[in-house]
Structures are given as structure tokens and as C-alpha cells.
Amino acid sequence: MHIIDRRLNPKAKSLGNRQRFIRRARDEIRNAVSEALKKRKISEVESGEKIRIRAKSLNEPSFRLGKDGSRDFVLPGNKEFVVGDTIPKPPEGGGGGGGRGAPDGHGEDDFVFTLSKDEFLDLFFEDLKLPNLIKVKLKDVRSPTPIRAGYTTDGSPSKLNRVRTMRNSVARRIALRRPSNEEIRAAEEALAAAEADPAFDPSELVLLRERLNRLNHLRKTVAFIDPFDLKYNRFERLPKPITQAVMFCLMDTSASMTQSLKDLAKRFFMLLHIFLTRHYREVDVVFIRHTSVASEVDEDTFFRSTETGGTVISSAFEEMRKVVKERYPSDEWNIYAAQASDGANDLGDMARCIDMLDEVILPVCQYFAYIEVGTHISESIIWTGFSPLTNSHKHFAMRHVSSPGDIYPVFHDLFSTPERA
Amino acid sequence: MDTAIKKIKKPRKGKPIFEGAEWNFDTLKTVFDEVEKIGLRDLKLDVYPNQIEVITAEQMLDAYTSTGMPLMYRHWSFGKQFAQESMSYRRGMRSLAYELVINSNPCISYVMEENSATMQTLVIAHAAFGHNHFFKNNYLFKQWTNADTILDYLAFAKDYVKECEEKHGVEDVEIILDAAHALMRQGISRHPKTPVSSKPAHIAKRKKSRKLHEEATFDDIYRTVPRAPITAGAAEALAAFAAAEEEGLGLPEENVLYFLEKHAPRLKDWQRELIRIVRILAQYFYPQRQTKMMNEGCATFVHYEIMNTLFDRGLITEGSMLEALHLHSSVVMQPGFDDQRYGGINPYALGFAMMRDIKRICEEPTAEDKDWFPDFAGNGDAMGTLKSAWADYRDESFILQFLSPTVIRDMRFFALHDESDEPEVEVTAIHNEMGYRDVRRRLARFYDASVQDPDIRITDADLSGTRRLTLTHTVRDGRLLSKQECDRTLQHLAQLWGHRVKLLEVDAGTGKTLRELEALPLP
């Protein structure tokens, strides 16, 4: 009989099965994911998700008997029935308590399981990317990454390779016959025994003493670890070119944006932000909010603070231009921008707005997405004003978002890779 | 401990082998030794060598979502089951099995680390002795499964599927496995076959040699010989030839997977091997399906006897005995049909009740028992009677032979008849003198896998012409296949066969075709 402890065996043996399962159910899960986004609070977007999907495509068919025909069966727990009694059948789908418990009749309803945060986001942003990411900064700024490059004989102690070092040490000690503790102890004991024994041959005793001396000498002269043994891990720093990109998020926070519209806009930006931080580590994000005046704010203020006022959109463009000029020269940076607004603007500002977009903003941008939130009943001022620009600038896109459910499809549409779109 | 065993008549003299819930590997070893003494000496069980493996809850989930085997090839359906099980486990809707046992030699029992010392004792008695004895002695397992090689085969299967995935892509492998899984219930031979051709590689070899022979004997001159018009005699000869060909295919064939593996015209060798893997697993699990109730009954009976003996000898404390009894009674609970918790007849409950009853009949029979079971009533050899039952019966025949009026009364069984177009079901027999035999016969039929599974056979395969494959479902009691499921399964079948597939549903009594379904493989 053996008792074996298997608890330390590698975990997650079923990971391969899980990956296959998620791949199989991908379409269903994606629908469920975009469905889930509607209901979630903004702060919850970046956490795991409980997913409910229809089990239909995951159902495994087999030849089973249907419900037609006649059958006999036996049930336990009879309290009142005698032969000839009849029992009305339970209604269809009512749990089938009346002994329909044939092993072949198990139905599958909705299927609920939890996706981890990574699985959730992977599916979420699958095949999305920033378009036209081309301007690689050609100047010297490259990020050096250390890569392993064999071993070296000197370096800092933190890079000491213990395995290699000890391997050298052992080989050298064997080659130079450095005595081990046991050998010395044995020699000492032999000597002590011989000295205690009066009948011992004195010449032999001398030999024993010499041997012990020789061993002790060897032990002193041959070091346990010699500087010669030391090996260090060597790293080389490989400069890697990086593509620099910055995303400008422009949001209208004026009074005409109701709380629900702001919420929609924030959801969009939240998604954008997660997408960027997840897929492009090097992407800078600049948050600009505006009423009649615009200001650059940090992430927290952008998503959480409330502020109201009139609407002058050009102020946001002005702010963006300022930031670009100061920190993101357009010949070195890939510049992206997304703007969300309810479509209302100060009438007097429109002409200036369109001019700025046409002449200043769009020329420096790789891609500019304009998101209009709200019930798109009639063409808004901005929509009408901006529409012509889509013809002259291929990298300018406009979309409508009227409910949380639209956000993901629109987002997907804006950033999908060409081969999928 | 030996003294305790000698003083068997003076109970509660021994020193308990553990106290409290904590255990370590030494406790486990002592527990195993004591349980083994009782199992082998007192109950005289005959078991494979045991191997106990301690695992975590997650590993337990892992194991029983891949059909309970320690090694399994990868497939999405196991991932699906895992997602489902782990969800309901985390929500606390379902607790995990305390143990899992594999019919192999040595017999591997998994026990969970969370179990208390008492639970480990119970589980070792249940799995390592109860199930183990059943696996080693029951005729179905002896006949159909090879306990010595199953783990090696699974290791092979896992590697083979992995290799195929690397070579041919996960998707292509999945198509074959999905289809084979759909036909798993039709992948069983109910009667032993003469082993003609086992491996796809051998078949390929035979095909090749046949081809070489044809090439060697080919003579173009025969092509120029004018053909005689087909006469009535020739047509007959052709029909005879076709019949002979069919003979070669071994039709009708109930094992659809076997037939596909050997004869599907378009499959590649690796695809045949995958089908073979699924088929062999289906066959391996078939005895388990047919003996579920007996197997659990046997294990429950054994753990009950062993726990009681341990207690009588003072080897476990009163506290652990109470815990064991609590566990035991929740395992053998049978809610009535109208109870919310009812989920079919509990195999543990029925099996245990029947085996306790057999013991009672052997030792203290009533007049009724003597009437019903003249063979063994009052023979005084309960273990002998039980052991021969465990060896020579399956659920269906066991019920037919051993279900006594006492158990029928205790469990208050009653039989019902259901016509799908009637609004009510009718009670046809209850637990009274007139009803016992009726109830017993019907209950036995319910445990007969060959009655519960649809009877589907391959009846025709036109290999020379249209290549159409025909299956026939023999319909009993008007019970047709569920249409939607059937269409999708047929699609899978067509995918494997590579040509048109037809399913006829023919009434067993009248021979009339009730329904015809067809499927074509997708390009």
C-alpha cells in the first residue's frame, strides 16, 4: 500500500481545457461581455466578470429518446396511491418532478461562469489596435532592455550565478584534492587511536602525523571558493526602438451634458483608457475637460469630478494645441484624440472650431474620433459642422452613442483591425 | 491492537487509533492498516493492491470534470464541465465528492485533504476496499476492462491527442473528437468481438498488400474483352457479391464508432486512431454504467460494516462514530418522489438497502423471505451470498434476482405507466402482494442500459455506389429519438463518414418506417 501526497502536483491541470472551452464559446462570450458592460459601474469595468451565456452552441448532442411514446417507470415514496389511480402530469418544463428523471433527459439552461480579469479583457480588446501607428521616433531615445548574454568572470554580487560558481568550485577542489571535513576527522581519529595504543609502531605513527599535516596544509592552501571560480550572469542592454504615442481625451462637461450623458462619455473614455494601458505600455494619455474654458486634468479628476458651465469647444482644441506644442512635438509622437460631446456648442464658436480642427488638430493627428452622446434625433450643430471633414480627412471618424449598449460596438468599430472590419 | 482483535467479544476495549478531526500521514497509515485487517480478515474481501493519494479540492474538481480519470486528453467539454462544477462549488450549491476511485491495478483512491480523520477512515473503507473488491471481482469489469493497462492507455491517448493537435491543428482534432463524443453511446459493443483487426496501422498495411496484389495481377488485356449484357443470372450474382461485401462489413453493426474506425472511406489514420480512443473509453465506462447501483451499494455496505467493527473494537471514538453515521445517513438518504430534493432513485440508498436486506435474509429470514428466496434464506453465510452476487450480477439482473418485498415496502416503490398523449400517468403496481413482482420487473428494466439506450444499428453501407450509410433505430413503445438532438448528432456522423447519412426509425412491432432523417457532410 502506498500513500502519496499529490497536493504539490502542478496546479491548474485543466487550464488547457479551459482555454479550449473559451475559444469554443468565444462569440457567445463576446456578446455576453458587451452585454455585461451595459450594467456595470464604471469603476468595475476592469475586474473579473461573471458571464452568462446560452448553452446552445456548447451543448453536446447525442442520440437520445424523445418524449413521445409510452414508458413504465418506478418511483419511491408512495404514500397514498393504489393500483388504478391516475396522477396528472406536471406542466412541461415545470421541473419534471413527476418522475421524468430519466437519465437521458437533462436539459441545459443558461450557463454561468466567471471569467478572470485577463480573460475578460483579452476578449474585450481582441483584434483592436491603434490605427496608423507609424511615426517611430528616430532620435536617440530608445528604451534599453536587459537581455541575458551568457556568463562573465566579474560583476556585482547580486548577479552572482551560484550554480556555475559552485560547479567550478567543486571541480577545482576535486582536481586539487582538497580534503573534506570527514577525511581530516578520520585522519585525526586514526592518529589519536594510534597514539593511545602503546603497541603501535612509532614509524607508522610518524607517517600518520605527516599525513594529517599534509591534509591540513592542503586545506589551508586550496580555498573552498576561489575568486577564480566566480561566475556572474551577464546582461546586455539592447536598445529597442519604441513608438511613442499620446492619446488626448477631450470631454465636454458643460451643463447641457446631463448626468447620464456624462456617464456615457466617461464609460467610453474608461474603455479607451483600459485599452491603451493594457495594450500600449508606452502610450501617454492626456485628459482635457472643458466647459467654456478647458483645462488639462489628471485621470482621477477627469473621471470623477463634476463641473458645469457653458460650452466652447474650441477652448479644448486650444488646450490640446498648447499641450502638443509643449510636450508632444508631432514629428516625434503619434498623436491620437478622442472627443466626446452632446453635440451642443456655442454658435459663435463653431466656425473657429471647424477651422482649428481642419487646420491645426487633424493635420497633427494620426486618428481623431468624435463621439456624440445622446439621442440623435436631429443633426446637432457639431455633427453638421464636422461632417464635411470626414471627406477631406480619412483619419477622422464620427460615431453616435445613445446607450451604454452602443459603447462597445462603436469602440470596436473605431479600433478594429482592417482585416476584421 | 492485536489484543483488541482477540477480545472481539468484549467490545470497546481497544485504544482509539485517532481522536479529533486532525490527521497526518501516519494516522492515515494506521487507519489504513486497521481497515485492511477488517476488510481482509473479517469480510474476506479480495482487492487489488491499494494506492491512496491525497489531493486538494481543486485537484478533485479537476479530476472529476475529466471523467474521473487522473490523465485525460484535452477537450473543451471538460473545460465546460469544470467551469460549471467550480461555479456551483464556489456558490456552495454542491459539495465535492469525498473520494474518487479508479478501476486500475493498483487501485488508486483519491482522498481530499479537507476530510476529517473520520471521513478518511470511511472513505478508505468505502473506496479502497468496497469499490476495489467490486472492480476486481465483478464479471463485467473482468470481461470488459483491463485494470492493468488503463492508466498506460490514458497516458498514450493524452499524448496522441496532443501530438495530433500539434500536427493537424486544434480545430481539426476537435471536429473529430466532438463527433466521436456525440456517438459515444453508440461506441459500445455489447457482445465480445473476435479480434480481427485492431489498429488502423494494421488496416493500412492490409490495404496496401491487397493493392499490391491487384497491381501484380493486373492485366490490361481483360479491358478489351467485350462484356456480356447483364442477364438475370448476372444480376443475381452481383446482388450476391454485394451481400458478400456487406458480410465483410459485419452488418448490422451496433458499434457505430467501431464501424467508422474500420470502414469510413475518407478518414485519415490519425482520425481513425482518435475515434478508437473515444471508443475504447466508452467501452471502459460501460460496465460502470451498468453496475452503478451495485457498485455503490457494495462500497456503502463495506464501509458500514467496517466502521461498525472499528467502533465495536474501540478503535474509533464515539464522536467519530457519530460523525460517520451522520455522513452515512446523508449518503443513503432517499427522498420520496414528491420531495423537492428528489432527483431519481439514489443508487447508494437502493444498493445499501438491498445488501443489508440480503444479510438479514441470510441470518434472520421471515416466512416470506423463505418463500421468495429459498436458495439462500437462512443459510447463515451473508458475506458468501453477497460476494457471489457482487461477482456475477449487474444492476438489472441483481434487482430481478434479489429485490425483496421487504425493500419494496420500505422504500414504498410503485410503478407507473405513461402515454405521451395522455394528460395523466397511471399507477400500475404498488407494494402489495399483487404488485411486488411487477414493481421488481419494471425497476429492473429501468436499470437495463440496453433498454434505456435507443437501439441504433448500422444496417447498410453502400461502398461501391452512392456511399450512403444507413442506420436503423428500432423504435420500442413508440419512443422516437428527440429530433433536434438527433439532427445534430447525425450531422456529426456525416462529418466522420464523409458522405450522405440516413437514419430510419422503424417500429419494432410493425416494421413500419416512422421517420426518416438525412444529413450531408459540410464541405
Side-chain angles (χ1 to χ4, degrees):
Chain A
M1 194 270 306
H2 299 286
I3 298 178
I4 299 172
D5 189 356
R6 290 269 183 226
R7 288 173 294 180
L8 299 176
N9 276 21
K11 276 189 181 153
K13 237 168 59 177
S14 59
L15 188 66
N17 290 333
R18 183 174 176 87
Q19 286 164 344
R20 280 166 179 71
F21 164 63
I22 287 180
R23 189 177 58 76
R24 174 80 175 213
R26 185 196 279 146
D27 290 346
E28 312 249 342
I29 294 176
R30 269 184 48 183
N31 288 342
V33 161
S34 73
E35 210 36 43
L37 185 73
K38 283 186 206 170
K39 293 175 212 135
R40 307 184 89 187
K41 287 201 194 106
I42 293 172
S43 55
E44 284 173 354
V45 171
E46 205 179 351
S47 62
E49 172 60 41
K50 206 180 277 178
I51 291 294
R52 181 184 293 273
I53 56 175
R54 286 263 153 215
K56 205 177 150 211
S57 73
L58 296 170
N59 150 309
E60 296 157 85
S62 65
F63 288 126
R64 287 184 190 143
L65 292 175
K67 288 180 178 160
D68 301 327
S70 62
R71 80 191 78 191
D72 289 300
F73 52 95
V74 174
L75 296 178
N78 178 16
K79 293 184 198 76
E80 52 195 349
F81 302 117
V82 294
V83 175
D85 281 357
T86 53
I87 309 167
K89 288 184 196 172
E92 285 292 317
R100 296 213 172 240
D104 49 20
H106 67 92
E108 284 174 294
D109 306 327
D110 278 5
F111 183 91
V112 183
F113 69 103
T114 313
L115 283 178
S116 74
K117 177 183 154 192
D118 280 344
E119 287 168 335
F120 180 77
L121 291 175
D122 273 347
L123 283 165
F124 219 99
F125 298 123
E126 191 188 50
D127 60 55
L128 297 185
K129 69 175 190 189
L130 286 177
N132 310 328
L133 192 64
I134 41 166
K135 284 184 205 164
V136 176
K137 191 183 175 191
L138 294 171
K139 277 187 11 190
D140 291 340
V141 182
R142 294 172 163 218
S143 94
T145 5
I147 56 160
R148 281 187 183 279
Y151 306 97
T152 167
T153 48
D154 66 338
S156 67
S158 65
K159 290 193 182 122
L160 183 73
N161 187 311
R162 279 164 297 178
V163 173
R164 289 276 166 165
T165 303
M166 287 315 289
R167 190 186 290 172
N168 286 343
S169 154
V170 168
R172 186 179 46 76
R173 277 181 276 140
I174 292 173
L176 298 181
R177 298 176 194 281
R178 183 180 196 266
S180 66
N181 287 342
E182 285 77 44
E183 273 176 82
I184 291 196
R185 200 177 316 121
E188 279 169 353
E189 275 165 14
L191 183 62
E195 278 172 340
D197 185 358
F200 206 81
D201 181 0
S203 61
E204 290 276 320
L205 198 65
V206 172
L207 280 179
L208 278 179
R209 276 205 191 98
E210 263 175 26
R211 182 172 140 74
L212 183 61
N213 284 340
R214 200 175 62 244
L215 286 179
N216 276 330
H217 177 71
L218 261 179
R219 197 170 161 79
K220 270 183 201 128
T221 46
V222 182
F224 186 76
I225 290 183
D226 197 273
F228 177 77
D229 300 333
L230 298 179
K231 287 284 180 233
Y232 297 88
N233 291 328
R234 199 167 85 88
F235 290 92
E236 253 175 20
R237 295 174 80 77
L238 254 198
K240 261 195 179 166
I242 51 163
T243 45
Q244 296 190 111
V246 56
M247 172 67 82
F248 284 88
C249 299
L250 314 175
M251 180 162 66
D252 180 1
T253 54
S254 65
S256 62
M257 290 277 280
T258 61
Q259 198 49 48
S260 65
L261 292 185
K262 276 180 192 156
D263 194 51
L264 272 181
K266 282 178 188 172
R267 271 169 192 267
F268 181 83
F269 285 122
M270 185 64 92
L271 203 57
L272 184 63
H273 188 213
I274 297 169
F275 170 60
L276 292 175
T277 46
R278 193 174 162 75
H279 281 224
Y280 300 92
R281 238 175 357 136
E282 311 285 349
V283 170
D284 283 7
V285 185
V286 176
F287 297 100
I288 295 174
R289 61 169 188 179
H290 72 92
T291 52
S292 50
V293 284
S295 57
E296 187 189 345
V297 292
D298 63 9
E299 183 187 333
D300 212 45
T301 327
F302 185 80
F303 285 119
R304 301 197 206 292
S305 85
T306 49
E307 178 204 54
T308 51
T311 319
V312 179
I313 289 192
S314 60
S315 67
F317 292 154
E318 190 57 52
E319 180 73 19
M320 177 170 161
R321 182 169 71 167
K322 202 178 87 197
V323 176
V324 167
K325 207 172 156 195
E326 281 171 9
R327 307 209 303 265
Y328 302 104
S330 67
D331 54 339
E332 291 173 14
W333 288 80
N334 291 291
I335 296 173
Y336 295 85
Q339 184 188 15
S341 147
D342 60 350
N345 193 12
D346 186 57
L347 263 179
D349 184 48
M350 261 336 271
R352 180 173 142 73
C353 219
I354 295 170
D355 278 356
M356 276 198 75
L357 196 58
D358 193 17
E359 285 159 23
V360 183
I361 304 293
L362 287 179
V364 301
C365 282
Q366 298 295 107
Y367 191 63
F368 190 106
Y370 170 71
I371 311 300
E372 190 160 304
V373 292
T375 53
H376 183 55
I377 300 166
S378 55
E379 300 260 298
S380 68
I381 307 172
I382 298 184
W383 192 271
T384 328
F386 283 4
S387 287
L389 295 175
T390 50
N391 297 325
S392 51
H393 300 275
K394 287 277 169 272
H395 57 288
F396 179 61
M398 296 168 70
R399 295 286 185 279
H400 257 288
V401 172
S402 55
S403 72
D406 295 343
I407 290 179
Y408 183 62
V410 164
F411 187 83
H412 198 263
D413 184 28
L414 286 172
F415 295 101
S416 62
T417 46
E419 54 269 29
R420 287 272 304 197
Chain B
M1 299 306 161
D2 269 350
T3 52
I5 287 173
K6 277 174 205 150
K7 290 177 192 163
I8 196 161
K9 295 291 170 199
K10 294 180 186 170
R12 309 228 31 81
K13 276 289 163 76
K15 186 174 167 295
I17 44 182
F18 60 83
E19 287 187 39
E22 294 299 317
W23 56 270
N24 57 31
F25 282 81
D26 292 332
T27 326
L28 220 52
K29 176 95 178 78
T30 328
V31 163
F32 183 89
D33 290 343
E34 291 302 328
V35 170
E36 187 176 39
K37 275 180 207 161
I38 300 171
L40 302 187
R41 287 188 205 163
D42 297 44
L43 303 181
K44 302 206 168 44
L45 299 174
D46 169 29
V47 294
Y48 291 122
N50 270 300
Q51 183 167 319
I52 312 280
E53 306 199 351
V54 181
I55 60 175
T56 62
E58 193 194 331
Q59 287 168 325
M60 180 61 92
L61 262 176
D62 251 0
Y64 76 58
T65 50
S66 46
T67 66
M69 302 311 263
L71 293 162
M72 199 61 193
Y73 56 83
R74 289 188 166 160
H75 190 253
W76 64 269
S77 62
F78 306 136
K80 167 186 155 187
Q81 220 185 332
F82 185 86
Q84 235 162 2
E85 294 281 348
S86 64
M87 201 67 188
S88 54
Y89 173 57
R90 293 219 173 100
R91 281 201 209 143
M93 273 162 52
R94 198 173 313 166
S95 60
L96 287 176
Y98 306 126
E99 47 82 23
L100 210 139
V101 53
I102 292 158
N103 169 25
S104 61
N105 182 13
C107 178
I108 301 175
S109 313
Y110 292 112
V111 301
M112 273 218 293
E113 61 171 350
E114 275 99 296
N115 294 354
S116 69
T118 309
M119 281 158 95
Q120 302 294 30
T121 316
L122 188 106
V123 156
I124 287 173
H126 183 92
F129 291 90
H131 283 306
N132 191 346
H133 173 87
F134 197 84
F135 286 144
K136 193 174 174 192
N137 293 281
N138 186 266
Y139 80 105
L140 276 177
F141 287 95
K142 278 188 180 167
Q143 187 176 347
W144 285 112
T145 64
N146 194 342
D148 297 325
T149 57
I150 182 67
L151 292 182
D152 293 338
Y153 188 77
L154 284 173
F156 156 77
K158 187 180 177 192
D159 289 347
Y160 192 85
V161 171
K162 192 173 153 215
E163 227 173 81
C164 285
E165 282 183 344
E166 278 160 13
K167 240 187 250 169
H168 309 285
V170 177
E171 278 89 357
D172 285 3
V173 171
E174 207 170 87
I175 291 171
I176 302 293
L177 286 181
D178 282 0
H181 282 187
L183 296 164
M184 211 158 171
R185 287 201 167 196
Q186 277 69 46
I188 298 157
S189 298
R190 290 177 176 82
H191 310 286
K193 262 195 205 347
T194 41
V196 193
S197 45
S198 48
K199 284 187 180 159
H202 292 175
I203 295 178
K205 209 168 149 193
R206 274 208 301 278
K207 267 191 193 154
K208 203 175 163 193
S209 72
R210 190 183 307 147
K211 209 173 160 205
L212 281 177
H213 174 76
E214 276 169 9
E215 275 169 18
T217 54
F218 176 75
D219 196 338
D220 200 38
I221 194 90
Y222 288 117
R223 206 168 44 80
T224 62
V225 177
R227 288 189 180 208
I230 297 176
T231 60
E236 219 167 80
L238 272 178
F241 177 74
E245 191 183 49
E246 231 162 74
E247 195 81 359
L249 297 176
L251 293 176
E253 170 63 67
E254 60 171 349
N255 192 335
V256 176
L257 287 183
Y258 176 84
F259 186 85
L260 289 171
E261 177 198 325
K262 305 300 177 202
H263 304 294
R266 286 198 171 174
L267 293 180
K268 302 198 175 65
D269 280 352
W270 63 271
Q271 294 170 320
R272 289 181 208 276
E273 189 69 54
L274 289 180
I275 295 177
R276 185 182 160 79
I277 286 171
V278 175
R279 178 171 72 82
I280 285 181
L281 286 178
Q283 193 75 57
Y284 173 83
F285 287 118
Y286 190 54
Q288 314 229 0
R289 251 187 83 205
Q290 292 187 83
T291 56
K292 170 107 176 125
M293 186 270 287
M294 281 188 81
N295 201 344
E296 294 302 354
C298 167
T300 309
F301 180 83
V302 166
H303 83 225
Y304 184 78
E305 291 291 313
I306 290 180
M307 293 309 280
N308 272 304
T309 314
L310 281 174
F311 179 66
D312 289 343
R313 294 180 187 170
L315 297 175
I316 53 174
T317 61
E318 282 179 15
S320 10
M321 191 59 198
L322 280 176
E323 188 190 343
L325 285 175
H326 173 72
L327 280 171
H328 172 81
S329 50
S330 49
V331 163
V332 298
M333 192 200 49
Q334 174 67 67
F337 75 99
D338 49 357
D339 195 302
Q340 266 203 334
R341 294 165 295 179
Y342 182 73
I345 295 172
N346 178 355
Y348 294 82
L350 180 58
F352 180 69
M354 284 182 69
M355 283 156 199
R356 287 284 290 170
D357 193 52
I358 290 173
K359 189 177 176 194
R360 184 190 58 78
I361 294 172
C362 289
E363 289 164 359
E364 302 151 4
T366 61
E368 182 189 48
D369 296 325
K370 283 183 183 152
D371 217 29
W372 278 66
F373 305 103
D375 292 351
F376 64 91
N379 70 358
D381 180 18
M383 273 322 280
T385 313
L386 277 172
K387 269 195 264 181
S388 73
W390 291 337
D392 300 330
Y393 291 83
R394 54 181 181 148
D395 286 354
E396 178 249 341
S397 54
F398 180 66
I399 290 177
L400 216 48
Q401 195 72 26
F402 291 100
L403 184 67
S404 72
T406 317
V407 174
I408 296 178
R409 281 196 299 268
D410 287 351
M411 304 209 38
R412 298 186 159 266
F413 280 129
F414 64 124
L416 297 110
H417 181 76
D418 175 19
E419 289 284 345
S420 61
D421 41 8
E422 299 280 333
E424 293 171 325
V425 288
E426 194 195 342
V427 177
T428 51
I430 63 164
H431 55 282
N432 59 16
E433 206 56 51
M434 282 151 59
Y436 292 139
R437 285 182 199 280
D438 223 23
V439 168
R440 181 157 93 170
R441 194 168 45 81
R442 289 182 207 283
L443 190 62
R445 269 176 76 77
F446 178 74
Y447 279 96
D448 189 348
S450 63
V451 174
Q452 292 304 317
D453 285 350
D455 177 7
I456 296 173
R457 284 155 203 261
I458 295 177
T459 44
D460 187 33
D462 183 357
L463 283 181
S464 47
T466 61
R467 301 210 150 180
R468 188 177 65 191
L469 186 72
T470 311
L471 286 83
T472 307
H473 171 218
T474 310
V475 180
R476 286 171 302 222
D477 301 329
R479 297 187 66 185
L480 293 167
L481 294 173
S482 135
K483 172 89 166 56
Q484 206 187 358
E485 290 265 308
C486 185
D487 283 339
R488 298 184 54 204
T489 316
L490 217 53
Q491 188 60 51
H492 277 309
L493 178 60
Q495 219 60 41
L496 292 181
W497 179 246
H499 298 277
R500 188 181 291 271
V501 171
K502 189 165 128 183
L503 177 86
L504 300 172
E505 299 206 67
V506 177
D507 190 80
T510 61
K512 244 186 9 199
T513 303
L514 303 173
R515 190 161 66 178
E516 267 190 55
L517 298 164
E518 279 202 334
L520 268 173
L522 301 171

